[in-house]
Amino acid sequence: MKNVEEYVISHKGIKREDNEDNLYACGYLLPEKHDDIKNYEKKIRKTNNLLYAVFDGMGGLNDGAKASHLGVSILHRHKDKKIIDIVRTINEEIQKEDNIGSTASIIRINKDTLEYITVGDSPIYILSGDNFIKIREKEDDTNLLDNYLGKDEIGAVADKTKLKNNDKILLCSDGLCNEMNDVDIEYILSSSNDPKYIGDKLLNYALSNGGRENITMIVLVVKNDYKEIIYLVLLLIIVFLVLFLIF
C-alpha cells in the first residue's frame, strides 16, 4: 500500500472580504464562516479510502459560503457512497435552498486507484511523471458557469486512473488557476515532493499576481510505503532461512 502526504490551504485572497470556498480532507472541513488556514500540519495517510474535495461557492448567486459549506457537510455525511452518488445527493440538497450554488472537485484514493469527479470550473491537476493532466469544466460564452451544484440538471467529468510513486494531485478553486497559467502550475508541482512547499509556493504566486478571488487548494503527493516494503523483504528472508534450515 502507498502513502499520501497531504497539505491544504484556504485564503480569502487580496480583493475579497470573505472566503466562500470550503474543502474536505478525510473528515476535516471548515465552518461556514472561517478565517484563512495557516500553518496546517502536513499529514501522511495510508491510501485506504481517502476522500478529498474543494467547493467554491457561487458569488453571483446568494450566499456562496453557505453553498460550499453545505456541500462539504453533505459529503461528510455520505462519505461512504460512490462519489457520483455523493454529487447527486449534494445537488438535490442544494436545490432545496434559495438560489445558491457551488462548484466541486472530489477525489477518492483507494490503494493505487484515484477516482475523480468535477462539477463546474474548480479543476483537478494530476502530474504523473511527464504526464500532466488538467480536469476542468469550461465556462460558456457569457463567462458565467453553465454547470454547478444547485442546477436542475448537472453534468460532471468523472473517471479513474492508477497512481504511481511521486504522483502529484492538486485540487483547487479557480482563485488559484485564474492567477496562473498551467505551465507555471506544472512547473511548481514538479519542483518538489513536499506538498507544503508546493502549496505555499502556489499560494504566493497567485497572491503576487493579484489574488483577486478566494484561493483554496489540496496538495497531495503519493509515495511508496518503504517501511512496508522492508517488512515484506525481511519476512521473505525469514521464510527462506526457515525453509533452508528445514531442507
Side-chain angles (χ1 to χ4, degrees):
M1 187 176 291
K2 299 181 185 301
N3 289 331
V4 167
E5 293 192 5
E6 156 202 319
Y7 190 68
V8 308
I9 292 174
S10 190
H11 193 289
K12 70 179 181 179
I14 296 173
K15 303 294 185 180
R16 297 295 177 90
E17 294 184 359
D18 299 308
N19 192 337
E20 297 188 334
D21 291 350
N22 214 306
L23 59 83
Y24 186 87
C26 301
Y28 175 81
L29 62 158
L30 302 175
E32 184 173 328
K33 303 296 183 183
H34 59 85
D35 297 324
D36 298 342
I37 300 177
K38 296 178 180 177
N39 301 319
Y40 180 83
E41 184 179 349
K42 183 174 67 174
K43 293 178 173 57
I44 301 175
R45 304 182 192 270
K46 294 284 189 183
T47 55
N48 184 20
N49 199 25
L50 306 179
L51 187 63
Y52 297 95
V54 166
F55 288 78
D56 182 354
M58 302 279 291
L61 303 178
N62 296 336
D63 206 341
K66 180 179 180 180
S68 63
H69 182 257
L70 189 59
V72 295
S73 301
I74 297 167
L75 180 144
H76 182 61
R77 293 199 300 270
H78 298 275
K79 60 183 181 293
D80 294 326
K81 290 184 176 180
K82 295 179 179 179
I83 56 175
I84 185 65
D85 293 329
I86 293 174
V87 166
R88 289 170 179 154
T89 302
I90 295 171
N91 192 54
E92 290 170 1
E93 292 299 315
I94 288 182
Q95 284 183 43
K96 297 176 183 177
E97 302 295 326
D98 181 23
N99 194 35
I100 66 173
S102 178
T103 69
S105 292
I106 304 171
I107 67 168
R108 189 190 300 279
I109 299 174
N110 196 22
K111 297 181 181 177
D112 64 347
T113 299
L114 168 69
E115 296 180 82
Y116 59 82
I117 186 167
T118 66
V119 180
D121 66 348
S122 294
I124 300 170
Y125 295 91
I126 304 169
L127 179 63
S128 181
D130 295 330
N131 191 21
F132 181 61
I133 304 168
K134 178 181 181 180
I135 302 108
R136 186 190 194 190
E137 291 277 348
K138 295 182 179 180
E139 298 178 353
D140 64 16
D141 292 338
T142 64
N143 204 35
L144 295 172
L145 277 174
D146 192 43
N147 191 37
Y148 56 88
L149 294 167
K151 289 188 67 177
D152 291 337
E153 295 184 7
I154 59 169
V157 177
D159 207 342
K160 63 175 63 177
T161 187
K162 290 294 184 181
L163 292 172
K164 296 182 294 187
N165 188 40
N166 291 329
D167 281 359
K168 285 54 171 295
I169 306 159
L170 170 66
L171 293 79
C172 65
S173 58
D174 65 351
L176 177 71
C177 59
N178 285 350
E179 300 292 0
M180 307 176 63
N181 61 50
D182 292 346
V183 172
D184 291 327
I185 290 175
E186 180 182 7
Y187 175 76
I188 293 174
L189 284 174
S190 65
S191 66
S192 174
N193 287 328
D194 180 358
K196 184 181 187 306
Y197 175 88
I198 293 170
D200 290 343
K201 196 164 185 178
L202 287 169
L203 176 64
N204 290 335
Y205 198 111
L207 292 175
S208 67
N209 281 354
R212 292 167 292 179
E213 300 180 60
N214 303 152
I215 301 166
T216 298
M217 72 184 92
I218 298 174
V219 184
L220 307 171
V221 179
V222 179
K223 296 188 177 181
N224 286 332
D225 186 351
Y226 290 106
K227 289 182 180 179
E228 188 173 273
I229 293 171
I230 292 170
Y231 172 79
L232 290 173
V233 170
L234 291 174
L235 184 61
L236 287 172
I237 292 171
I238 292 170
V239 171
F240 175 79
L241 290 174
V242 170
L243 291 173
F244 179 79
L245 292 173
I246 291 173
F247 296 102

